[in-house]
Amino acid sequence: MVTKDNDKQSYPRYSMHKYWGKKPAAAVKPLISEYTSNGDVVLDPFSGYGVFCCEAYIAGRSVIANDLNPIANFIASTLFEKHIDINKVNRIWEQILKEFKPFVEEWYNISIDGTIITPISILRSSDNKPLKLTYKSGRNTITFDIPQDLANAFLQKENNSFISDWYPNEEVIPNSRISATQGMCIGDLFTKRTLSCHARLLSLIEKYADGNEKDLFLLAFTANLANCSKLVPPIKSRGDIAQGAWMTGFYIGETYIENNVLHYYTNRLNKAIKGKEDYLSCFKDAVNLFSPGAEVHDSFYKISNDDAKHLKIEDNSIDYVFTDPPYGDTVPYFEQSAFWNAWLKLKPDYSQEIVISDSNERGKDISTFERDIFQAISEIRRVLKPNKYFSITYHSLSGLEWKAITNACVLNDFKVVKFEWLEQKTYPPRQLNRLKTIKGDVLVTFVKSEEKTHKYRISDEQLKLQMLNLISVTINVGVRDTNSIMMTIMEWVLRDGIVIDSLDVFEVLNKNFKIGEDGLWMLIED
């Protein structure tokens, strides 16, 4: 089992942005030393933030970090860049702050009993009325109920104001799954105050920054957008203005927390600087991280924006592939990334995204997902050298999505060499809140054998009978947790080369067995 490194659970370089699906670096690092050698070329065709490729590059491997999502390319490019002057970043921030702070204070500052205070957070209703605020008094955080006359005066000011700086306001793709309603625009996700402040901040970044330093400011800017949008819900069990975290989707509740753009951007910029310093520190000593004292080879990195189904990479040229592909409909990456892409004027190719989307206009269902995943796995086989390794990590709440992955690997003649769980420090709510789902991700490593693998094709009915028997035997020997049962099933499917027709593995488990009070599976007759 691959687990997190207890000595280093996280690295600042991976806290620079809130892009989804980042795998813990300490969990993927062992794969680099196990399956690659210094100077090898490794590929991640769905690289996202770029965690795996970054760790491989630090370890002396040449890497190709590929993702079709433009914001992912931007994040990875900013992460990997070595030529940046942090002192210059700090000087530029002083210039920006000199102009930006008075602008923000004009929007946020209010007088309470003759004292001017700057709110950190404001609780607002769904019709945007300010209800409460918090501010700092010394080391204390004070909560203040906003009087009706003060709230009305602010609303009048906000409604009558004009935003002179550019901001994006294109429509998002309607999708009930992520609360994206018909006609919803990017601007609708912000109050007029935070929209105005973000727009001014962006204009000042454009005015004063350039080159790689500018990219770091923009990285922090996009990372801050959700913090200061209408998408921050209060955790009411902890208090009216206790902040929750922005989750997937564009849901705006009956109340939301509006955060001070300057206060929160300052925090995000500090994280970006700290992350960049952490990354740069990895290259101060010319020593291979996995073999201290070993000869260090020249290595390169490449950030590419290819469609994973059609990689612009030569046949048999890659030494190792690691990837964490899209999880069906768990995260509609491109649709939700509109939140970031639009502000940077980036244009995703929605038509080629591998995803399952509830949006009627996209035509991305389970059948297209299965076809696209097969093509992507075929590309991995094409570019991988013979007898080299390919690791895939995956999680899904749908048996049909599991089937798409396993069929693609089996039909592309990949042979299993290791099957394990990739444990994470934290799990998303969709995993934590459901008993009948696995916790964490499966991690399977294959070898590209030149021999054709045996493919075992039987009817759904015969496969169901064999699966029922396997699950029953597994439960009877005392293996009853969801993770272990699913690991047993999926390892059997992959090692035996079983091609699944239309059987839903999770449905077989859910309909024929039950969860006990202890949260473990049991036979129905028990």
Side-chain angles (χ1 to χ4, degrees), residues 306-350:
D306 294 348
D307 175 0
K309 304 186 294 298
H310 303 285
L311 297 170
K312 297 182 180 70
I313 300 174
E314 292 183 5
D315 295 359
N316 304 307
S317 61
I318 301 296
D319 294 290
Y320 176 64
V321 176
F322 169 88
T323 199
D324 178 23
Y327 294 4
D329 76 338
T330 301
V331 180
Y333 283 92
F334 284 23
E335 292 172 43
Q336 292 179 219
S337 293
F339 199 67
W340 299 317
N341 281 321
W343 279 93
L344 298 187
K345 301 181 181 179
L346 301 173
K347 302 296 182 184
D349 183 354
Y350 283 92

Side-chain angles (χ1 to χ4, degrees), residues 44-48 66-67 308-309 322-326 354 373 376-377 380:
D44 185 345
F46 299 97
S47 61
N66 179 78
D67 203 290
K309 304 186 294 298
F322 169 88
T323 199
D324 178 23
I354 301 176
I373 282 290
I377 301 297
I380 289 172

Side-chain angles (χ1 to χ4, degrees), residues 43 57 84 102 181 231-232 240 270 312 394 397:
L43 163 71
Y57 182 59
I84 184 169
T181 57
L231 305 177
V232 180
D240 289 339
N270 287 337
K312 297 182 180 70
Y394 195 73
L397 305 181

Side-chain angles (χ1 to χ4, degrees), residues 169-186 188-189 250 335 358-362:
N169 205 29
E170 58 253 43
E171 291 188 10
V172 300
I173 295 175
N175 184 341
S176 59
R177 159 78 172 75
I178 57 171
S179 302
T181 57
Q182 190 73 43
M184 176 182 280
C185 297
I186 296 294
D188 298 332
L189 305 174
F250 301 137
E335 292 172 43
D358 288 355
S359 173
N360 294 329
E361 65 186 58
R362 294 204 61 197

Side-chain angles (χ1 to χ4, degrees), residues 464-522:
K464 179 180 177 181
L465 290 173
Q466 292 187 27
M467 200 170 290
L468 287 171
N469 181 64
L470 177 61
I471 297 171
S472 298
V473 169
T474 303
I475 290 173
N476 280 329
V477 298
V479 178
R480 299 172 52 212
D481 63 285
T482 305
N483 276 22
S484 296
I485 290 173
M486 285 305 301
M487 183 171 184
T488 300
I489 296 170
M490 301 317 296
E491 185 169 11
W492 165 61
V493 167
L494 287 168
R495 287 194 184 276
D496 283 24
I498 295 171
V499 179
I500 302 174
D501 185 10
S502 58
L503 193 68
D504 187 325
V505 177
F506 281 104
E507 191 174 274
V508 173
L509 180 62
N510 290 329
K511 286 190 174 181
N512 296 278
F513 303 89
K514 63 181 180 180
I515 290 278
E517 293 182 359
D518 56 2
L520 300 175
W521 289 93
M522 57 194 298

Side-chain angles (χ1 to χ4, degrees), residues 74 77-79 81-86 88-89 92 204-220 276 344:
F74 174 75
S77 295
T78 307
L79 169 64
E81 182 56 57
K82 294 180 187 177
H83 299 97
I84 184 169
D85 185 341
I86 298 299
K88 183 178 178 182
V89 170
I92 293 169
L204 291 171
I205 293 171
E206 297 282 355
K207 178 180 178 181
Y208 288 110
D210 59 10
N212 297 328
E213 290 77 21
K214 176 181 176 181
D215 285 345
L216 195 68
F217 279 104
L218 293 176
L219 183 76
K276 179 52 67 175
L344 298 187

Side-chain angles (χ1 to χ4, degrees), residues 355-357 362-370:
V355 70
I356 296 174
S357 173
R362 294 204 61 197
K364 296 284 186 177
D365 58 17
I366 182 62
S367 62
T368 59
F369 178 77
E370 185 165 16

